[in-house]
Amino acid sequence: ANIKTEDEFWREYLSAVQPEGMEYFGGNLAAFRDAVTAGGPGYPGKCTLRVLNQHATSLSKTFLAKLTEIAEQSRDFRIELS
């Protein structure tokens, strides 16, 4: 999917991962941090999320950097940007 906004990213995340508590997931970086570091709503379980062709998206470098930073705080979740 050619993701252009953060809202689109969160919708695609939920669609692709089908995490526990997805109906309660806040759809923002704070909610994502809670999910992957504390098992909160939206917790994906042990997995790797791949963001392909990141340079073709309209997502900000800051947003992608924050995703990476959050993933580094988790033992079970990884993110790969390419």
Side-chain angles (χ1 to χ4, degrees):
N2 186 9
I3 299 170
K4 296 181 174 106
T5 68
E6 290 179 25
D7 285 340
E8 288 178 4
F9 175 86
W10 295 122
R11 281 193 298 274
E12 188 68 23
Y13 166 76
L14 292 175
S15 176
V17 178
Q18 298 285 306
E20 291 180 29
M22 65 188 276
E23 63 274 14
Y24 304 108
F25 180 66
N28 57 53
L29 289 168
F32 185 66
R33 181 184 309 276
D34 183 52
V36 301
T37 62
Y43 174 66
K46 188 172 184 171
C47 69
T48 300
L49 178 67
R50 290 179 180 87
V51 178
L52 304 175
N53 205 9
Q54 67 174 328
H55 303 293
T57 73
S58 299
L59 295 171
S60 74
K61 290 180 182 185
T62 301
F63 178 77
L64 294 171
K66 288 287 187 186
L67 283 176
T68 302
E69 176 185 311
I70 292 167
E72 289 171 352
Q73 297 172 11
S74 173
R75 293 184 315 177
D76 295 334
F77 180 82
R78 293 180 352 135
I79 191 164
E80 294 178 359
L81 304 176
S82 65

